[in-house]
Amino acid sequence: MKNQLLSRITALSSELLSLSKNHKAVYVTAESLTAGLIGASIVEMPGSSAYFDRCFITYSNEAKMELLGVNETTLAEFGAVSENTVIEMVQGALNHSSLANTGVAVSGIAGPDGGSVKKPVGTVWIAAMKKGEPPVTECCHFEGDREDVRLQTVIRALEFLKDLTIN
């Protein structure tokens, strides 16, 4: 399964390279559970400096607040793994980038522990948006071990970027 996930990531990263040129997209990521894997996947492609600005790795709540401006009240009321938090993360990432026009943010529970009845292991929230447009969000429930959850999150985040670039 891991080889299939890695192949899909490579294919999506290659597609983003082509799409970014045609649509003048420049990307920024705000990552919690993936800790930079989305950004790293994008920059695997030669020439990525023309369409990738930066990656915010905000694993802790403090980092989310300090680097992205996520509101402490949002984290207290909804938690780090929530639609509200990832919306504020992607907005913060785009606000802190003068180059990027398209962003994605992820926060989730990769496991093997840390889950709850309301938010089991594999729960991931994703938000993506273009500057000046409303965010698009999704709650995913991925299966597998910690690495599987993280890789599936990367794939879904890259798919979001691809879809936003095309539309």
Side-chain angles (χ1 to χ4, degrees):
M1 180 171 172
K2 287 187 189 9
N3 284 340
Q4 291 173 322
L5 295 173
L6 293 170
S7 293
R8 180 71 178 136
I9 289 169
T10 300
L12 284 165
S13 297
S14 179
E15 287 179 60
L16 280 179
L17 172 63
S18 298
L19 290 170
S20 66
K21 291 177 183 175
N22 295 333
H23 297 274
K24 296 181 177 28
V26 178
Y27 306 112
V28 62
T29 65
E31 306 183 43
S32 187
L33 81 150
T34 51
L37 287 176
I38 301 165
S41 298
I42 293 170
V43 301
E44 281 295 314
M45 296 296 117
S48 57
S49 60
Y51 68 97
F52 185 72
D53 181 40
R54 63 188 75 189
C55 172
F56 293 92
I57 300 172
T58 55
Y59 207 74
S60 70
N61 285 349
E62 289 74 18
K64 288 173 183 65
M65 291 184 291
E66 290 173 17
L67 297 175
L68 300 173
V70 173
N71 193 310
E72 185 175 6
T73 306
T74 301
L75 292 165
E77 187 174 340
F78 302 102
V81 182
S82 68
E83 181 177 35
N84 300 68
T85 296
V86 293
I87 288 171
E88 290 184 23
M89 287 172 66
V90 73
Q91 289 170 335
L94 284 165
N95 288 339
H96 286 89
S97 171
S98 60
L99 299 176
N101 54 27
T102 308
V104 68
V106 297
S107 188
I109 305 162
D113 47 339
S116 67
V117 174
K118 282 187 165 183
K119 296 178 186 177
V121 169
T123 301
V124 176
W125 272 99
I126 302 173
M129 68 183 288
K130 287 182 179 180
K131 270 189 178 172
E133 295 183 10
V136 179
T137 62
E138 180 176 272
C139 182
C140 302
H141 298 280
F142 295 123
E143 301 285 325
D145 63 17
R146 182 177 179 82
E147 185 180 10
D148 291 339
V149 169
R150 294 175 77 219
L151 292 175
Q152 290 171 83
T153 301
V154 171
I155 289 168
R156 191 66 191 117
L158 293 173
E159 289 172 345
F160 262 84
L161 290 176
K162 177 184 166 188
D163 291 346
L164 280 180
T165 302
I166 294 170
N167 297 317

